Amino acid sequence: MPPLILVSRVRAALIRGGAFASLALILCAAPLRAAEFDLQTATIADINAAFDAGALTSEQLTRLCLARIAAYEPKLHAVITLNPNAIEIARALDAERKAKGPRSSLHGIPVVFKDNYDTDDLQTSGGFFGLKGSIPPKDSTIVAKLKAAGAVVLAKVNLSEMAWGGAMSSLGGQSHNPHNLEVTPAGSSGGTGVSIAAAYAPLGYGTDTGGSIRGPSTANGIVGLKPTHGLLSRAGIIPLALSFDTGGPMARSVYDIAVSLNVTVGLDSRDDATKKSEGKTQTDYTKFLDKGALKGARIGVARDFFGQDPEVDTTIESALAAMRRQGAVLVDIKYPETILKIRADLMTTIMYGEYKAQIAVYLATLKPGFPKTHAEILALSETVMSPRPDGVVPNLGRLALYRHEEKEGLAMTDPIYLAAKNFAMPFVRDTLYGIFANNKLDAIVYPTSARRPAKIGDVGAPLAAAPLGAGNSPTNFANIAGFPDLIVPAGFTTNGLPIGISFFGTAFSEPKILALGYAFEQATHSIRRPVNTPELPGEKFTY
């Protein structure tokens, strides 16, 4: 029953009863304030409040999300596959809620997944046309956990093909930023970033090997978390380089990121990396969200990554001023030249070899009729030199990377690969631990992308792909070290392009960086609706 109707009935009953007349007079004199629901700004807490009040159902919410997809696709080119059963699933979850109550805070919440998460009832393509129609044998662990929590799998969304390269794929085409259709939404989780910014769903999942959640989060003006390596299982996600890979949530608020972790963290026998998280996870990450968390916090400012775009720098300086006003102690820090110089070569040395070997392991789990080796993927890619009638398009940037991987990928027994993995990675990690310890830091902040989002097609634009912390962004340090990195909107350029700030912490410090990011978010409120995806009928109502 809508709460306004309920309140009126309660008032009438109280007045009739006489004994509670004074309370009735108070209620009548000061009526409860109506709540407003707005699809584009609602947090998962807001959605649950509307569910609880009877003002919204999962089926209605799912229909609102699907209406936005219908209105703004294919303009944005964010969606590869819609779940044809989404409404039916939402309706069943509504019935279950009514009969038994919700399974979790995510009960009935639509979620989109980057199309490298295995789903046993929808194709998983990695954006590669050669995997079109591939239905994996089982859900990825993250998908399975979210389904068990009552989430609605709404769609599989576009990405940089096989999670590396520009924000396009041979199957899904070029994704467009809803804030400005001419600029990149960044990669590789570009489709997820676009989908969340455009309010196709309240929650989405990307993957991050060197910045692939964080680049799209900042470019699309949303919140994103690259979690600690091992906090979330990667089982059933198409691998790029398991030394660095992790899945993670993307949303429009820090609260939504925190609540999503409640149902996705934990040990998984399918992914040995999760053993690192034993005893280090939380049952409720929302309890750490504190508007006052910045007071007294020591925040390192990574000045090495400023100086590439004056409007980005100006915005980040304003963000730093906001932290000072909240009581944070800011400490300028420098990264040692040694780790600055080796990071890119270190990553590619490991990635090229790991992808060649690990993609073959993944492909072996698929049904017959699909490529089984990296060499077969390369051979198929070389056959597409112009757009095809079936919608497949050339992806020359990814083709170049396929060739690099095939030619330069080291065997995982090669001494150079082993030196990079077993000695260089720990060296970088321990150096970063040293920076935190020596400066007594709670987090390090920096502009997630040192330059504003580049125009689509600009040759050499450093953030057009940004999967490895391209340009002068240090996002790849989080992957090398295995540390978490939370992105929060920090502001906009003069021409309306989003700018994000990173809260970078040590391993399993998600509670701390979520608290700091939440305090900053609540003090600044620097999120904005994209101009190219305006409100549709029925998305905003009072109850």
Side-chain angles (χ1 to χ4, degrees):
M1 181 183 300
L4 290 180
I5 297 173
L6 177 61
V7 166
S8 65
R9 292 183 180 177
V10 169
R11 286 179 183 146
L14 287 170
I15 292 169
R16 284 196 302 270
F20 301 101
S22 59
L23 178 58
L25 287 172
I26 293 171
L27 283 169
C28 291
L32 294 179
R33 189 173 181 180
E36 183 176 89
F37 181 85
D38 185 340
L39 180 66
Q40 291 190 67
T41 61
T43 66
I44 290 172
D46 296 330
I47 293 170
N48 276 306
F51 283 162
D52 293 342
L56 184 69
T57 66
S58 178
E59 180 180 350
Q60 290 167 340
L61 177 62
T62 301
R63 289 185 184 277
L64 289 173
C65 291
L66 289 171
R68 291 190 68 79
I69 293 172
Y72 301 122
E73 291 292 312
K75 178 170 71 172
L76 298 181
H77 270 252
V79 175
I80 289 181
T81 305
L82 281 175
N83 185 351
N85 300 314
I87 292 173
E88 181 182 341
I89 292 168
R91 188 181 299 129
L93 288 165
D94 284 332
E96 181 181 326
R97 176 187 292 272
K98 187 175 181 179
K100 302 178 182 179
R103 302 181 196 177
S104 76
S105 295
L106 298 184
H107 187 109
I109 301 295
V111 183
V112 298
F113 292 89
K114 186 175 180 178
D115 198 24
N116 59 351
Y117 281 78
D118 279 356
T119 42
D120 66 6
D121 51 356
L122 299 170
Q123 76 168 10
T124 301
S125 71
F128 174 51
F129 73 95
L131 293 183
K132 183 178 181 180
S134 174
I135 306 293
K138 64 191 303 184
D139 286 331
S140 69
T141 295
I142 288 178
V143 170
K145 286 187 172 186
L146 286 160
K147 284 183 177 180
V152 179
V153 177
L154 187 70
K156 306 290 288 294
V157 296
N158 203 13
L159 66 161
S160 303
E161 187 170 321
M162 292 299 197
W164 195 3
M168 71 166 295
S169 66
S170 58
L171 187 59
Q174 172 68 57
S175 292
H176 295 270
N177 192 314
H179 292 277
N180 184 326
L181 300 178
E182 295 183 356
V183 305
T184 178
S188 66
S189 306
T192 310
V194 172
S195 297
I196 299 306
Y200 287 0
L203 179 64
Y205 279 80
T207 60
D208 195 306
T209 303
S212 293
I213 285 172
R214 292 160 290 160
S217 293
T218 190
N220 294 283
I222 62 170
V223 183
L225 175 68
K226 180 269 172 203
T228 300
H229 193 266
L231 184 70
L232 303 183
S233 172
R234 290 91 42 86
I237 297 175
I238 299 176
L240 179 56
L242 290 174
S243 290
F244 309 126
D245 290 349
T246 183
M250 300 166 73
R252 292 190 296 276
S253 69
V254 176
Y255 173 87
D256 290 354
I257 297 293
V259 79
S260 74
L261 294 180
N262 294 348
V263 302
T264 52
V265 302
L267 298 175
D268 180 13
S269 61
R270 298 172 63 195
D271 182 2
D272 285 344
T274 61
K275 292 177 181 177
K276 294 183 291 186
S277 74
E278 188 168 8
K280 299 174 183 176
T281 61
Q282 305 291 330
T283 56
D284 183 8
Y285 285 84
T286 65
K287 71 182 181 182
F288 298 100
L289 304 183
D290 176 8
K291 291 183 179 180
L294 282 165
K295 186 175 182 179
R298 287 182 61 84
I299 308 294
V301 182
R303 293 284 176 186
D304 295 290
F305 313 109
F306 287 62
Q308 295 189 57
D309 185 322
E311 291 204 2
V312 171
D313 290 352
T314 300
T315 301
I316 299 301
E317 292 293 354
S318 295
L320 298 176
M323 292 183 208
R324 288 191 193 94
R325 289 194 297 272
Q326 296 298 308
V329 178
L330 303 185
V331 182
D332 284 355
I333 61 167
K334 297 280 290 182
Y335 282 32
E337 283 295 319
T338 305
I339 65 171
L340 288 170
K341 288 178 178 177
I342 68 172
R343 62 193 174 113
D345 286 343
L346 169 58
M347 290 206 72
T348 53
T349 296
I350 292 172
M351 284 181 64
Y352 286 159
E354 287 196 1
Y355 182 64
K356 280 180 65 176
Q358 291 164 358
I359 191 61
V361 174
Y362 173 82
L363 294 171
T365 68
L366 304 182
K367 296 175 182 178
F370 298 101
K372 297 300 180 186
T373 65
H374 183 275
E376 291 179 23
I377 291 174
L378 172 59
L380 278 172
S381 298
E382 288 179 329
T383 66
V384 183
M385 290 295 105
S386 61
R388 298 191 334 194
D390 61 359
V392 172
V393 296
N395 189 354
L396 300 183
R398 190 60 180 98
L399 175 57
L401 287 170
Y402 287 139
R403 287 171 175 162
H404 278 295
E405 292 156 355
E406 188 64 25
K407 179 181 178 182
E408 300 175 21
L410 299 174
M412 292 171 64
T413 55
D414 188 287
I416 295 175
Y417 166 84
L418 292 173
K421 182 172 175 61
N422 297 332
F423 296 99
M425 279 182 65
F427 169 71
V428 172
R429 182 188 64 237
D430 291 346
T431 300
L432 291 170
Y433 268 126
I435 294 172
F436 277 91
N438 292 342
N439 293 281
K440 299 181 174 62
L441 300 178
D442 294 295
I444 292 172
V445 297
Y446 63 93
T448 311
S449 296
R451 301 183 189 181
R452 71 194 74 188
K455 282 192 174 183
I456 291 169
D458 275 5
V459 176
L463 294 179
L468 294 179
N472 200 30
S473 172
T475 54
N476 50 19
F477 281 121
N479 302 87
I480 296 169
F483 291 175
D485 200 5
L486 174 71
I487 284 57
V488 181
F492 289 79
T493 64
T494 301
N495 60 346
L497 298 179
I499 297 168
I501 189 167
S502 283
F503 290 82
F504 179 45
T506 54
F508 301 104
S509 65
E510 279 82 359
K512 183 177 292 184
I513 63 171
L514 286 167
L516 297 172
Y518 179 77
F520 173 77
E521 173 193 61
Q522 296 302 305
T524 58
H525 296 288
S526 296
I527 196 166
R528 180 185 296 176
R529 302 167 193 257
V531 296
N532 289 293
T533 54
E535 180 184 326
L536 298 176
E539 293 182 356
K540 186 185 292 186
F541 55 86
T542 300
Y543 65 93

